[in-house]
Amino acid sequence: MYKANEPLELTLLYHLNSPPPGGHTKQVPATEMRYMPEAPIRELPAVPSDNYLTNLLRKRHSVRDFQNTQMPLIDLAQLLDAACGINGLRQVEGYAYEGRNAPSAGGLFPIELFVSTRAVSDLSDGLYHYEPRHHGLHWVNESTPQDFVTPLLQQDYIANANALLILTGVFMRSLCKYSTRGYRFILLEAGHQAENICLMAVELGLGSLCIGGFHDMSVNHILGIDGQRHAALYCLAVGSEATAIP
């Protein structure tokens, strides 16, 4: 058991003690979960149907059946850039910060992005680390999405995905400034980047699946990270959605 004497120790107290559940608790009826169910409702104007972002949001859904097909390398590049690509510099109170496609508390960018690929044009299958400052890939090892099926709790529908993106957190980047509150910021930032990936997938005509259930130690081992100062937080599978057979 970890003691909570320092920010990293308190972070690990929660992080390492929140594995996938071994069972299910009793489901609470939806009517009991509503907030202020008896309060009067003030209706809002209808959302315009020609709003581009609204249409992307409506098309986004979880895909659990991917086609065994090839993904153009440009599509992968756009997915990675959407998550955390650099889009310029920002001047804030006399300091220069990188402007990225997802917000980060204090401009500290604790999230790192790995991608395991299969059948991406002009790219060898395997595991890569994305470097946003050069918009390029570092080779890590030969692990493809199939190698993550068991660590991802036997979710074998990811095997035909072209890309399995894994968002990881380097905890002390945020904790050094925001102490234990920094852990919350890291989780929020993983969510920001994941939503960007999902929306870019829709824009490219691809399907996506967000995955939060996995064996931490197994995923961290494949990535080659220690799981304590640097750990996996969130996974997303992306590929072409299989066409339903009538």
Side-chain angles (χ1 to χ4, degrees):
M1 180 64 68
Y2 285 84
K3 297 179 180 179
N5 295 325
E6 297 179 4
L8 182 59
E9 291 179 347
L10 184 58
T11 294
L12 292 174
L13 181 67
Y14 174 79
H15 187 79
L16 297 179
N17 286 283
S18 56
H24 299 282
T25 59
K26 182 179 179 181
Q27 188 171 359
V28 178
T31 53
E32 295 183 20
M33 299 291 287
R34 289 183 58 197
Y35 180 65
M36 299 178 66
E38 306 302 326
I41 298 293
R42 169 66 163 88
E43 292 189 6
L44 297 171
V47 175
S49 59
D50 60 349
N51 183 289
Y52 187 73
L53 179 57
T54 297
N55 288 329
L56 286 181
L57 291 169
R58 286 175 175 167
K59 291 178 182 178
R60 190 219 62 80
H61 61 282
S62 296
V63 172
R64 291 180 173 82
D65 189 9
F66 294 100
Q67 287 187 38
N68 185 9
T69 188
Q70 192 170 71
M71 173 189 285
L73 183 59
I74 185 60
D75 286 4
L76 178 65
Q78 290 181 88
L79 291 166
L80 297 171
D81 177 74
C84 57
I86 296 174
N87 57 36
L89 293 176
R90 305 285 187 272
Q91 293 288 335
V92 180
E93 297 180 350
Y95 292 92
Y97 292 89
E98 290 177 352
R100 296 201 187 184
N101 290 330
S104 177
L108 298 172
F109 305 110
I111 304 299
E112 295 291 336
L113 179 55
F114 292 79
V115 59
S116 173
T117 66
R118 184 199 67 82
V120 174
S121 63
D122 301 316
L123 186 69
S124 298
D125 292 356
L127 179 67
Y128 298 86
H129 168 259
Y130 177 59
E131 174 49 70
R133 290 184 178 88
H134 299 282
H135 186 52
L137 297 171
H138 299 134
W139 172 260
V140 178
N141 59 49
E142 297 180 348
S143 301
T144 66
Q146 177 66 53
D147 296 309
F148 285 87
V149 168
T150 298
L152 267 62
L153 311 181
Q154 303 298 334
Q155 298 182 74
D156 57 3
Y157 34 74
I158 71 165
N160 281 338
N162 297 106
L164 179 69
L165 299 99
I166 305 104
L167 300 169
T168 66
V170 181
F171 296 134
M172 286 308 298
R173 285 186 195 161
S174 288
L175 300 185
C176 67
K177 179 175 182 179
Y178 295 111
S179 188
T180 50
R181 191 73 177 191
Y183 183 62
R184 292 199 199 183
F185 295 153
I186 293 169
L187 299 183
L188 292 171
E189 291 173 33
H192 297 324
Q193 294 194 22
E195 182 68 4
N196 284 4
I197 293 167
C198 289
L199 294 179
M200 180 56 74
V202 175
E203 169 67 14
L204 297 171
L206 300 171
S208 65
L209 178 66
C210 297
I211 303 169
F214 51 86
H215 293 297
D216 297 71
M217 291 180 62
S218 299
V219 172
N220 291 329
H221 177 73
I222 294 175
L223 300 180
I225 59 179
D226 66 13
Q228 296 194 13
R229 290 172 176 79
H230 185 189
L233 302 174
Y234 206 180
C235 302
L236 299 95
V238 180
S240 295
E241 183 173 6
T243 302
I245 301 175

